[in-house]
């Protein structure tokens, strides 16, 4: 478990906040970006016997980009949003993770970013944006979809209110 707030994931709101270890790679590949999109930096940490590396995640055009500091290099993975198979967002007590699985160059790959559950709110904007982009749902259809739950009105389902609340909040996939 992280014992120090400095080891928790945090937002990177502009170029000056990018950690030095990732700036060279970012400058070579993304410096021409007209707009710096919301990014998240997860410092190296340990979870029991498991150790993690420094990681940077951000949305760039229609891609989710992950940068991970390995021993002497930066491992970069870019998932085009249309090639993402699934997103898994889960937590067990204070241990949380965000896993993205997708097809890259004909190969199925996954990337996991682990973080302390205390900072899960910083991941919500990226997850919500990906939910909308992945589902390709128009918000104008929202009322029609809510009406689809009308068939449950006469049946006393324990989960009916949760289903309707879940649908009204624009949530489109299940997080574990």
């Amino acid at each position: 478990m992280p014992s120090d707030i400095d080891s928790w994931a945090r937002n990177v709101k502009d170029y000056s906040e990018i950690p030095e270890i990732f700036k060279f790679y970012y400058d070579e590949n993304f410096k021409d970006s007209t707009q710096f999109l919301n990014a998240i930096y997860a410092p190296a940490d340990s979870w029991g016997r498991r150790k993690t590396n420094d990681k940077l995640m951000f949305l760039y055009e229609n891609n989710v980009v992950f940068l991970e500091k390995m021993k002497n290099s930066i491992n970069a993975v870019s998932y085009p949003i249309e090639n993402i198979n699934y997103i898994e967002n889960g937590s067990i007590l204070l241990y949380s993770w965000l896993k993205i699985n997708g097809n890259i160059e004909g190969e199925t790959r996954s990337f996991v970013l682990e973080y302390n559950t205390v900072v899960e709110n910083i991941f919500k904007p990226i997850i919500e944006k990906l939910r909308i982009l992945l589902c390709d749902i128009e918000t104008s259809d929202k009322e029609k979809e809510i009406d689809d739950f009308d068939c449950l009105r006469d049946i006393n389902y324990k989960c009916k209110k949760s289903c309707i609340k879940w649908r009204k909040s624009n949530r489109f996939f299940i997080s574990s």
Side-chain angles (χ1 to χ4, degrees):
M1 290 292 162
S3 59
D4 188 9
I5 292 175
D6 292 336
S7 65
W8 292 356
R10 56 186 158 275
N11 280 321
V12 177
K13 295 180 181 159
D14 62 36
Y15 177 80
S16 66
E17 295 179 8
I18 296 175
E20 288 299 321
I21 54 176
F22 296 115
K23 275 193 178 173
F24 179 75
Y25 187 89
Y26 185 87
D27 289 346
E28 281 188 348
N29 296 283
F30 305 103
K31 190 63 173 173
D32 295 335
S33 174
T34 56
Q35 171 184 358
F36 184 84
L37 298 178
N38 191 24
I40 297 172
Y41 169 60
D45 203 352
S46 62
W47 300 90
R49 288 186 225 153
R50 182 175 173 77
K51 301 219 182 285
T52 64
N53 298 321
D54 289 285
K55 296 178 183 178
L56 182 70
M57 171 189 163
F58 58 94
L59 297 176
Y60 179 75
E61 295 179 353
N62 283 329
N63 294 285
V64 180
V65 179
F66 289 99
L67 304 178
E68 179 177 13
K69 180 185 181 284
M70 304 308 273
K71 289 182 181 178
N72 296 320
S73 64
I74 300 293
N75 178 31
V77 181
S78 179
Y79 292 92
I81 289 174
E82 64 272 5
N83 292 350
I84 292 176
N85 297 325
Y86 67 86
I87 298 171
E88 178 182 321
N89 180 223
S91 66
I92 300 171
L93 300 175
L94 290 176
Y95 172 74
S96 291
W97 66 92
L98 177 65
K99 177 180 181 179
I100 294 189
N101 176 286
N103 298 324
I104 301 172
E105 299 169 1
E107 184 180 324
T108 301
R109 296 177 63 186
S110 294
F111 192 92
V112 179
L113 194 147
E114 296 151 308
Y115 58 94
N116 190 305
T117 305
V118 172
V119 295
E120 71 182 340
N121 285 337
I122 66 173
F123 289 86
K124 289 187 189 273
I126 289 178
I127 292 170
E128 290 298 320
K129 183 168 178 113
L130 288 173
R131 283 178 174 168
I132 292 167
L133 292 172
L134 285 171
C135 293
D136 193 30
I137 293 177
E138 294 186 27
T139 55
S140 62
D141 294 342
K142 186 175 175 181
E143 289 303 318
K144 182 202 171 295
E145 292 199 21
I146 290 172
D147 291 341
D148 289 345
F149 287 106
D150 281 346
C151 62
L152 300 176
R153 183 179 300 129
D154 298 330
I155 303 171
N156 189 14
Y157 282 113
K158 184 177 183 178
C159 67
K160 182 174 88 174
K161 286 184 181 179
S162 296
C163 291
I164 293 171
K165 182 179 175 186
W166 179 76
R167 184 62 197 101
K168 282 183 180 178
S169 68
N170 250 350
R171 299 196 181 190
F172 301 110
F173 74 94
I174 298 171
S175 86
S176 58

